[in-house]
Amino acid sequence: MTDNFVILVYAVVINRVNLSKSVNKDVPRCREDKEELLGALKQETVVLKCEVDANPPLVTFKWTFNNSGEPAEVPPSRYTASGTGSTLNYTPVSEMDYGTLSCWGTNKVGEQKTPCLYQVIAAVSNLHAEWKREL
């Protein structure tokens, strides 16, 4: 009788541990809760690093671009991903390439509710700024 009681208590403890582990699963969310503002010249590459917190930490990513119209997906060949991070090397070529890039993470629990945001704006070169100052 005592042996059966010990086995029963042990099984209940195991089930509670497994339950508590499953409760702590989270969809990805941005590690930094702020929008990043980056200035870039045409043909200048800026590196966007998207870091998320997620459980389980195996995350797939997608990036989207929006310049005031409908968001467009960035092809996966343009960014890399590893674990809970993704990196996009972004190079604006024309005025239409300035706008908001959004990074979305997805794990087994689900898709990120709010993306990590990166606002890429046109920068003024130091040479151009020096020339304007002299006028």
Side-chain angles (χ1 to χ4, degrees):
M1 177 75 172
T2 306
D3 289 340
N4 289 343
F5 179 72
V6 170
I7 291 171
L8 180 60
V9 169
Y10 179 73
V12 169
V13 170
I14 293 289
N15 284 335
R16 282 192 182 156
V17 169
N18 288 338
L19 261 173
S20 67
K21 285 183 181 177
S22 66
V23 170
N24 292 329
K25 296 194 183 286
D26 297 309
V27 296
R29 64 183 179 286
C30 300
R31 189 160 293 159
E32 297 288 325
D33 191 22
K34 63 179 177 157
E35 182 174 336
E36 282 193 44
L37 180 65
L38 301 113
L41 299 170
K42 288 181 190 169
Q43 303 296 330
E44 177 185 13
T45 300
V46 291
V47 179
L48 309 178
K49 293 187 178 186
C50 177
E51 293 286 333
V52 298
D53 290 321
N55 186 16
L58 184 58
V59 179
T60 58
F61 288 90
K62 76 174 180 180
W63 288 79
T64 58
F65 173 75
N66 191 339
N67 64 355
S68 78
E70 217 28 55
E73 278 203 38
V74 175
S77 60
R78 304 258 324 266
Y79 57 88
T80 60
S82 178
T84 58
S86 179
T87 302
L88 170 65
N89 294 326
Y90 187 75
T91 308
V93 177
S94 73
E95 294 298 321
M96 296 301 293
D97 294 328
Y98 294 103
T100 303
L101 287 140
S102 302
C103 171
W104 302 83
T106 303
N107 65 4
K108 286 184 177 183
V109 180
E111 186 176 65
Q112 190 168 337
K113 304 294 184 237
T114 305
C116 305
L117 299 173
Y118 304 85
Q119 183 75 34
V120 180
I121 61 171
V124 177
S125 72
N126 287 338
L127 181 61
H128 184 69
E130 291 293 325
W131 179 76
K132 277 188 144 181
R133 214 176 317 181
E134 291 176 10
L135 293 177

